[in-house]
Amino acid sequence: MKFGKEFASQMIPEWRDAYMSYSCLKTLLKEILIFRQRQIMYRSPAKAPVKATSLKRKGSLFRTFSGLTSGYGNTSPRKDEEDEVILVSAMQVADEEQGEELRSYQTTFLRSTEEGSDFEQVFFRQLDLEFNGVIKFYQGKVEEVLKQAEELNIQMDALIALRIKVNDPHAIPPFINEKTSGAYPLEVIQEINTSGDGNEEEEEEEEEKKRSDDRKGYKMASLEVLNHIKLNDTAETPRSTVRSVFHLGKSELHYNKKELKYAQEKLKLAFIEFHEKLRFLKSYSFLNQLAFSKIMKKYDKITSRNASDAYLKTVDESYLGQSDEVVKLLERVEAAFIKHFCNGNRRQGMDTLRPKAKRDRHRITFFVGCFFGCSLALIVAIIVLVHARNLLQHRSRTAYMNTIFPLYSLFGFVVLHILMYAANVYYWTRYRVNYSFIFGFKQGTELGFKEVLLLGSGLSVVTLAGILSNLEMDLDERTQSYKALTELLPLGLVIVLLLITVCPFNIFYRANRFFLLVCLWHCICAPFYLVTLPDFFLADQFTSQVQLLRSLQFYVCYYGWGDYKQRDASTCNGSNIYKTIHIVVAVIPYWIRVLQCLRRLCEGRDSTQAMNALKYFSIIVAVVTRTIQTQIGQADGRYTETTTEIATAATDGRYMTIKYIALATSIFATIFATYWDLVMDWGLLCRNSVNPWLRDKLILPKKSIYFIAMVLNVLLRLAWMQTVLGFHEGRFLHRNALVAIVASLEIIRRGLWNFFRLENEHLNNVGKFRAVKSVPLPFSHEDRQKDL
């Protein structure tokens, strides 16, 4: 792999703009190369063309060993002053943003009188610009982590003091040995030393001397810090939310184990994220130094000059090469984490701080291919069976479509959504969208697209096998007496799927299942939980799975009321309670989003959430009116197999009134939601953007894809028109089949939305250079000077 591609692959995605622009400098070197090639051709036109030096890496069996401790510079001796090409000077420049003075480097090209020197001057100007930008970013990040380290010191002092106080409630300030469990005030020690006769005093002095010698190397932890701190009760539970409403976010310490456990978990996460940020900085420094070394070596190779020695010496002597704060902090953080959070177990501590990268397993690829092959075979078998038995014209066709089809369509919606998510993961990974960081997955537990495909294809095999077996059992005369038992097959599949989801054992990606359940619980309990991106992202997925929720409602009614014994859904469809719940079920996902938007609005994070809540409320009105229109049409017999009845019954005033209301509310909600999708969620339709009607930064290489996605989003959002305009079923298409197709189109639209929504979120993180999660600290200190 060429260095340019390797350099890009190892970049931290959120800091990509802060790295040295290797491709830009390489482009400038190509211009120098082209100029020199033309110069050679013009000077000797009659001779054979001379092969000029290229930028491509040449293979060689023998390479010079550069040593292990020589740094990035060339170890060859410096040439005479007459051979010097550049002169790098440092100067102090005021930084207007930070209000400080920074060291800036400027390169003077000493061969400016030579022909074609303009190209090389442009190269060094750009090189200085990149170098100064890298130093400025790195120095700013180092200062940032030093401040965070200072805050973590205070937090650790408070944690150790709290740990001592919880383990020994009788501990007395001001000092206590970190190793011993007892606590003695300084006055008591002095009183013991001065009491008794001379011999006892000498013995006690010797014992105290021994104890003081034993205590050497152990830091004495102060308990005074507990007098100036409070426990941060962040709004992450319904109880803490209520406390925050009444401004009770900070609570006094009660010195119990529950508080200690809470503080340890929070501070442990803070150390893990802080360590990851330090590793990012270390990698950033190393990669940029290596990139400057590579680009200067290429310059020397093209121009046959010796400028790399001087410039790389400047790089080594700069803040980027000389600063060792990050390395020292890494060592101290690792030592502190191992000692205080892993009981001195270095292997456990390093596995936590530096989790191993996931490895692709060939068996996953094998099973994905196997399950997809089985799925295709089962689909072909079902199609052949339907046509061979002429089931489309069978007398029980209507009963089957009204009962069994809605039961199995639930699994179809789930499989389709999983497949769309697998496609999202694939393209997020391909275009380096850091979806794992955005969703907040624990490092190493995120699912790749192959694992997601494994789940989707496995579920599709089970579902298709159930459909095929159900058809066979219904057609076989020997199983006619067991028809009630065969109807329980879909219910069994649902129960198995739910049991696997809540299974506490470490199988079937337990970490991801529990992450999903936690987000689902946060959605159910909205707005009592702090709204994070995974929470409202999951709620948005449910807004596109309304038909799945209605299928679950049908499961409860069909099996709860015993309709499965006669394969007749008239009890459910004819119940007014069922129809009312049918509307409520469709409203629930949108109502959850309304509550989440209001919660974020109350937190003061984003004032636009008021408009977002209004958008979902308008969708609620549109969904309710469309559902009522459909129910009225079914009650009046409009949705039948013949379209003439629909036309003759269209004169009913009540039906036409609700139809016009549904049409108006749906148009308004569609325009509102489409605008929000394209402008707010995707960040597109920017008139003054570098990319017209898109945004300044794009991830996909072709701009046309964004316009196609916008058009598809609009068209797929208009799928509701089949409900309002009466296109409910044709001659060969049952109404439930049409509903399933429309629901599938909405799932596909949501899959497209997912990719561009996360792309926009990723670019926002890139703009803010946000590559590490911000973990709330457990303690807040009133007076920092006192703690210090």
Side-chain angles (χ1 to χ4, degrees):
M1 181 185 293
K2 293 185 178 180
F3 177 75
K5 294 183 178 179
E6 185 178 355
F7 181 58
S9 65
Q10 295 186 15
M11 286 181 180
I12 297 152
E14 290 75 14
W15 293 356
R16 179 179 294 272
D17 294 341
Y19 282 83
M20 184 260 273
S21 182
Y22 185 82
S23 59
C24 177
L25 293 174
K26 192 174 179 180
T27 301
L28 296 177
L29 288 181
K30 287 183 178 179
E31 293 179 358
I32 298 174
L33 176 63
I34 293 172
F35 173 79
R36 288 180 169 265
Q37 289 176 341
R38 291 176 179 175
Q39 197 175 34
I40 294 174
M41 293 177 63
Y42 292 153
R43 288 181 178 177
S44 54
K47 299 180 180 180
V50 181
K51 186 177 180 181
T53 309
S54 67
L55 287 175
K56 294 183 179 180
R57 179 183 298 173
K58 296 180 179 180
S60 174
L61 295 176
F62 304 99
R63 295 183 181 274
T64 304
F65 181 65
S66 58
L68 299 176
T69 60
S70 58
Y72 301 102
N74 194 346
T75 57
S76 60
R78 293 292 304 274
K79 295 186 178 182
D80 298 335
E81 294 183 358
E82 296 180 356
D83 296 333
E84 290 185 356
V85 181
I86 59 173
L87 178 63
V88 185
S89 57
M91 61 188 71
Q92 297 293 333
V93 178
D95 186 9
E96 297 179 357
E97 296 179 1
Q98 301 180 356
E100 300 176 356
E101 288 190 354
L102 299 176
R103 176 168 291 187
S104 177
Y105 295 89
Q106 184 175 357
T107 303
T108 304
F109 185 63
L110 302 179
R111 305 293 180 86
S112 58
T113 58
E114 294 183 0
E115 186 178 0
S117 61
D118 295 341
F119 293 99
E120 299 182 50
Q121 290 180 4
V122 171
F123 169 77
F124 282 109
R125 280 198 299 269
Q126 184 65 30
L127 185 66
D128 291 338
L129 183 64
E130 300 292 339
F131 184 44
N132 292 324
V134 167
I135 292 178
K136 180 181 178 181
F137 177 82
Y138 181 72
Q139 189 171 354
K141 287 296 180 181
V142 171
E143 293 176 357
E144 184 180 325
V145 297
L146 290 176
K147 292 179 181 178
Q148 293 178 2
E150 188 178 351
E151 178 63 32
L152 286 177
N153 284 336
I154 300 174
Q155 297 287 323
M156 279 303 301
D157 289 339
L159 177 65
I160 293 173
L162 179 61
R163 186 180 292 172
I164 294 170
K165 194 69 175 178
V166 171
N167 293 332
D168 188 1
H170 302 289
I172 304 174
F175 297 107
I176 183 171
N177 194 312
E178 190 180 13
K179 187 177 180 181
T180 60
S181 59
Y184 304 95
L186 186 60
E187 294 80 2
V188 175
I189 296 176
Q190 292 177 351
E191 184 179 353
I192 294 175
N193 290 337
T194 55
S195 63
D197 54 13
N199 294 332
E200 292 179 357
E201 290 179 358
E202 292 178 359
E203 292 176 358
E204 291 177 357
E205 287 179 359
E206 292 179 359
E207 292 178 0
E208 179 63 26
K209 185 177 180 180
K210 291 181 181 179
R211 285 196 296 268
S212 63
D213 292 339
D214 294 337
R215 286 195 296 266
K216 289 181 179 179
Y218 292 90
K219 186 179 179 181
M220 308 296 285
S222 174
L223 298 181
E224 288 291 338
V225 68
L226 296 177
N227 298 328
H228 309 290
I229 65 170
K230 291 184 178 181
L231 192 66
N232 288 330
D233 191 7
T234 55
E236 296 180 351
T237 63
R239 180 182 178 184
S240 59
T241 301
V242 175
R243 290 176 59 87
S244 64
V245 171
F246 294 98
H247 305 287
L248 299 175
K250 298 177 182 179
S251 58
E252 299 290 341
L253 289 171
H254 297 88
Y255 308 111
N256 52 39
K257 292 185 178 180
K258 183 178 180 181
E259 291 178 341
L260 178 60
K261 182 180 179 181
Y262 168 81
Q264 286 183 162
E265 290 177 353
K266 288 293 181 182
L267 204 51
K268 182 178 180 180
L269 291 176
F271 264 83
I272 293 174
E273 296 299 327
F274 184 65
H275 184 269
E276 185 177 14
K277 189 173 185 178
L278 292 175
R279 288 193 292 111
F280 284 168
L281 278 175
K282 184 178 179 182
S283 172
Y284 177 85
S285 174
F286 172 78
L287 282 177
N288 279 287
Q289 291 184 70
L290 186 60
F292 282 112
S293 174
K294 292 288 185 180
I295 204 68
M296 287 305 301
K297 295 291 181 62
K298 287 184 180 295
Y299 171 80
D300 285 354
K301 184 178 180 181
I302 292 173
T303 61
S304 301
R305 302 187 189 278
N306 187 30
S308 61
D309 289 347
Y311 204 89
L312 294 181
K313 182 180 179 182
T314 304
V315 173
D316 292 338
E317 294 176 353
S318 66
Y319 187 84
L320 186 68
Q322 293 294 324
S323 176
D324 59 349
E325 289 94 342
V326 174
V327 177
K328 291 181 179 179
L329 269 178
L330 267 173
E331 295 175 355
R332 294 171 184 171
V333 168
E334 291 173 358
F337 186 86
I338 292 170
K339 180 179 180 181
H340 295 286
F341 296 103
C342 299
N343 296 324
N345 190 335
R346 180 172 180 81
R347 182 177 181 179
Q348 178 185 356
M350 297 310 295
D351 287 343
T352 305
L353 291 174
R354 298 180 178 180
K356 297 179 181 178
K358 292 181 61 177
R359 294 185 301 176
D360 290 336
R361 297 179 179 179
H362 296 292
R363 64 187 181 197
I364 294 179
T365 307
F366 170 78
F367 280 112
V368 168
C370 181
F371 288 153
F372 266 103
C374 293
S375 298
L376 292 177
L378 288 171
I379 292 174
V380 172
I382 292 173
I383 295 174
V384 170
L385 182 62
V386 168
H387 283 278
R389 303 293 180 90
N390 197 19
L391 297 180
L392 293 178
Q393 304 298 328
H394 197 271
R395 55 185 175 84
S396 60
R397 166 181 175 267
T398 303
Y400 187 91
M401 293 299 298
N402 288 333
T403 55
I404 302 300
F405 183 83
L407 298 178
Y408 281 108
S409 62
L410 178 144
F411 300 99
F413 298 145
V414 175
V415 170
L416 180 59
H417 213 125
I418 291 176
L419 295 180
M420 292 301 299
Y421 180 71
N424 290 147
V425 172
Y426 172 78
Y427 285 105
W428 287 334
T429 305
R430 179 176 178 180
Y431 294 105
R432 294 180 60 80
V433 175
N434 198 353
Y435 72 96
S436 175
F437 166 69
I438 295 174
F439 285 135
F441 293 130
K442 185 178 178 181
Q443 190 173 5
T445 63
E446 69 278 3
L447 295 181
F449 76 96
K450 291 182 180 179
E451 288 87 353
V452 180
L453 284 177
L454 179 66
L455 296 175
S457 59
L459 181 58
S460 68
V461 169
V462 175
T463 303
L464 292 171
I467 295 173
L468 183 61
S469 61
N470 202 297
L471 286 175
E472 286 287 351
M473 287 186 290
D474 288 343
L475 294 174
D476 194 348
E477 296 180 355
R478 293 173 297 178
T479 60
Q480 288 297 317
S481 59
Y482 301 97
K483 181 175 291 187
L485 184 62
T486 62
E487 297 289 305
L488 294 175
L489 185 58
L491 179 63
L493 293 179
V494 170
I495 293 175
V496 171
L497 186 62
L498 293 177
L499 290 178
I500 292 176
T501 304
V502 300
C503 177
F505 302 109
N506 192 15
I507 56 175
F508 296 109
Y509 308 110
R510 181 179 63 176
N512 295 273
R513 289 189 287 108
F514 280 17
F515 183 86
L516 175 64
L517 292 175
V518 169
C519 293
L520 179 61
W521 178 249
H522 288 179
C523 293
I524 295 173
C525 296
F528 294 106
Y529 280 94
L530 185 69
V531 181
T532 59
L533 188 142
D535 298 336
F536 69 75
F537 193 87
L538 179 62
D540 278 325
Q541 307 309 304
F542 279 112
T543 59
S544 297
Q545 286 285 11
V546 171
Q547 199 58 40
L548 181 144
L549 298 178
R550 285 175 169 172
S551 296
L552 286 176
Q553 177 198 357
F554 183 74
Y555 266 90
V556 175
C557 178
Y558 188 68
Y559 290 103
W561 288 358
D563 287 355
Y564 71 96
K565 296 178 181 179
Q566 293 82 24
R567 183 177 282 186
D568 184 11
S570 59
T571 305
C572 296
N573 297 330
S575 172
N576 293 328
I577 298 177
Y578 182 84
K579 294 178 180 179
T580 303
I581 299 176
H582 199 68
I583 298 175
V584 174
V585 167
V587 167
I588 287 176
Y590 301 103
W591 182 246
I592 291 174
R593 287 296 291 123
V594 170
L595 296 177
Q596 289 178 339
C597 293
L598 294 178
R599 171 62 188 265
R600 297 181 69 186
L601 178 64
C602 294
E603 291 173 355
R605 292 186 176 183
D606 190 359
S607 59
T608 60
Q609 291 303 316
M611 297 297 296
N612 200 14
L614 181 61
K615 177 195 75 173
Y616 286 106
F617 186 78
S618 66
I619 297 177
I620 289 176
V621 176
V623 170
V624 170
T625 53
R626 290 202 302 263
T627 306
I628 293 175
Q629 178 202 355
T630 302
Q631 292 179 354
I632 293 175
Q634 290 176 342
D636 294 344
R638 287 180 172 82
Y639 305 151
T640 60
E641 301 259 342
T642 58
T643 58
T644 56
E645 294 185 18
I646 299 176
T648 57
T651 57
D652 185 37
R654 185 184 60 170
Y655 176 79
M656 295 303 298
T657 301
I658 195 66
K659 178 177 181 179
Y660 290 141
I661 295 175
L663 182 62
T665 55
S666 297
I667 291 175
F668 177 79
T670 301
I671 295 174
F672 200 167
T674 302
Y675 170 81
W676 198 274
D677 285 346
L678 303 182
V679 178
M680 305 302 295
D681 290 340
W682 292 3
L684 303 176
L685 295 182
C686 299
R687 181 180 301 178
N688 299 323
S689 172
V690 177
N691 305 300
W693 298 107
L694 298 178
R695 52 173 120 84
D696 292 338
K697 295 182 179 180
L698 303 173
I699 290 182
L700 298 179
K702 295 183 179 180
K703 300 178 184 178
S704 59
I705 298 178
Y706 292 91
F707 294 103
I708 294 174
M710 287 190 285
V711 173
L712 285 176
N713 184 75
V714 175
L715 294 179
L716 293 175
R717 272 201 175 274
L718 295 176
W720 54 264
M721 294 181 65
Q722 60 85 23
T723 304
V724 177
L725 299 181
F727 304 129
H728 292 278
E729 61 181 79
R731 185 176 180 182
F732 300 103
L733 192 61
H734 192 273
R735 193 181 70 86
N736 286 339
L738 182 60
V739 170
I741 293 174
V742 173
S744 300
L745 293 177
E746 172 59 21
I747 294 173
I748 294 173
R749 188 199 68 82
R750 180 60 61 181
L752 295 175
W753 181 90
N754 289 343
F755 176 82
F756 294 101
R757 175 65 181 87
L758 225 65
E759 178 202 18
N760 190 30
E761 185 70 20
H762 173 76
L763 292 176
N764 290 334
N765 290 336
V766 170
K768 299 175 182 178
F769 300 107
R770 186 169 53 195
V772 180
K773 292 183 293 185
S774 57
V775 179
L777 297 176
F779 303 107
S780 61
H781 41 87
E782 297 176 351
D783 188 356
R784 185 167 182 170
Q785 296 298 328
K786 293 181 181 180
D787 294 341
L788 294 175

